[in-house]
Amino acid sequence: MMIGQVLPGPDDHSPDAAVQRLEAFRAELDRECDRAGRDRAEVRLIVVTKYQRLELIRALRAAGQRDFGENIYQQLREKVPDPGLAGATWHFIGQLQRNKARHVAALAQTIHSVDRDELIERLSDSERQEPLGCFVEINLADEPQRGGVDQEGVLPVAERIAGAPGLSLCGVMGVAPLGVDPDLAFARLEACSHRLRETFPEASAISAGMSGDWRQALRHGATHLRVGTTITGNRPSLD
Ligand SMILES: *Cc1c(COP(=O)(O)O)cnc(C)c1O
């Protein structure tokens, strides 16, 4: 994309507009990795497509985007089998209900919101060919109604994942709470990641950063950015 070119506004939901924003974002991500001293190859961009139309998601896929994030099982189920999205990698990033866990596991490659034993039991499957990637979600908000474990809860959940057939432990995931400096929230997440790696050195991934705070996340070691509206445009209604 040309420097100085004006990007389509956030209410332009045409597939072309989304592709332009994707390309602009990729260029910005390259620059930001340079500034932050991060290796671009260690950072995965997940485009969050919840509530977006298939047409728009297909255009992003055709533009070479591979990783997509969804947070509702019904929406995942509609999108995964679409021929226009073949070869995509699906990340489930929302709170997972116990009775949907098995269904989600059959569709997604990675779950970013594992925070309790009853989920691990249902996600685990010794017959699975490729292990299902699992992040331990950490509650950075200290609000119990949000998903995620507190800092002391990370290791017990990680141990359960690591010991469960068909699951592989990726690392930690967090959402910076509204009204809190994201730098502080992501610093806590990064510290949790370091502690986890003392026991599980391979579990080095950090899923953090959304449209509003991905730069801060990158500076605190994020390896998986979950970016929606900056690329897709505003979410149509419902959300
Ligand atoms: C919706 C969502 C995102 C993306 O948010 P944007 O602000 O649209 O970038 C990232 N992570 C989670 C867990 C989400 O639910």
Side-chain angles (χ1 to χ4, degrees):
M1 140 141 240
M2 305 274 290
I3 304 268
Q5 187 174 337
V6 178
L7 281 176
D11 291 318
D12 184 343
H13 291 109
S14 66
D16 280 353
V19 169
Q20 283 182 49
R21 286 185 296 249
L22 172 67
E23 282 167 1
F25 187 88
R26 283 176 177 154
E28 186 56 23
L29 177 55
D30 289 350
R31 285 193 290 271
E32 201 62 29
C33 283
D34 284 346
R35 285 185 207 122
R38 294 289 311 276
D39 179 356
R40 174 68 183 85
E42 285 174 5
V43 180
R44 240 156 115 166
L45 170 61
I46 299 168
V47 178
V48 177
T49 48
K50 59 194 186 196
Y51 302 104
Q52 300 294 344
R53 284 175 311 134
L54 275 168
E55 199 189 12
L56 180 150
I57 309 171
R58 288 180 192 131
L60 296 174
R61 177 78 193 106
Q65 177 60 30
R66 189 193 53 188
D67 291 282
F68 294 95
E70 289 286 334
N71 70 341
I72 295 175
Y73 163 63
Q74 282 78 2
Q75 295 191 23
L76 185 69
R77 190 180 56 184
E78 283 166 25
K79 291 163 187 169
V80 171
D82 187 81
L85 297 174
T89 298
W90 293 95
H91 300 257
F92 192 80
I93 62 172
Q95 285 198 35
L96 189 50
Q97 293 171 306
R98 189 173 58 125
N99 61 344
K100 301 281 166 51
R102 255 191 256 285
H103 299 302
V104 168
L107 295 170
Q109 280 74 46
T110 306
I111 314 279
H112 290 239
S113 48
V114 181
D115 61 0
R116 56 198 194 276
D117 289 352
E118 62 173 10
L119 288 181
I120 299 168
E121 264 164 45
R122 285 177 165 73
L123 295 171
S124 178
D125 178 359
S126 55
E127 309 282 289
R128 192 175 288 124
Q129 307 265 305
E130 283 288 308
L132 179 69
C134 292
F135 285 82
V136 180
E137 181 174 356
I138 300 177
N139 183 346
L140 299 172
D142 297 323
E143 293 166 33
Q145 70 272 26
R146 292 207 65 127
V149 296
D150 59 20
Q151 299 184 37
E152 291 69 48
V154 178
L155 201 57
V157 170
E159 280 165 350
R160 289 293 293 266
I161 293 170
L167 302 185
S168 91
L169 178 66
C170 300
V172 294
M173 178 272 207
V175 176
L178 286 177
V180 171
D181 179 353
D183 261 318
L184 295 178
F186 294 141
R188 281 176 69 184
L189 186 63
E190 194 179 21
C192 288
S193 169
H194 285 299
R195 233 171 295 131
L196 177 65
R197 280 140 82 178
E198 289 168 13
T199 310
F200 296 104
E202 306 298 309
S204 58
I206 301 179
S207 168
M210 306 172 32
S211 289
D213 57 20
W214 64 272
R215 288 183 176 83
Q216 288 92 335
L218 209 57
R219 284 181 164 69
H220 289 286
T223 60
H224 291 63
L225 307 178
R226 309 178 309 268
V227 178
T229 49
T230 287
I231 293 172
T232 58
N234 292 336
R235 281 183 275 280
S237 67
L238 284 161
D239 195 19

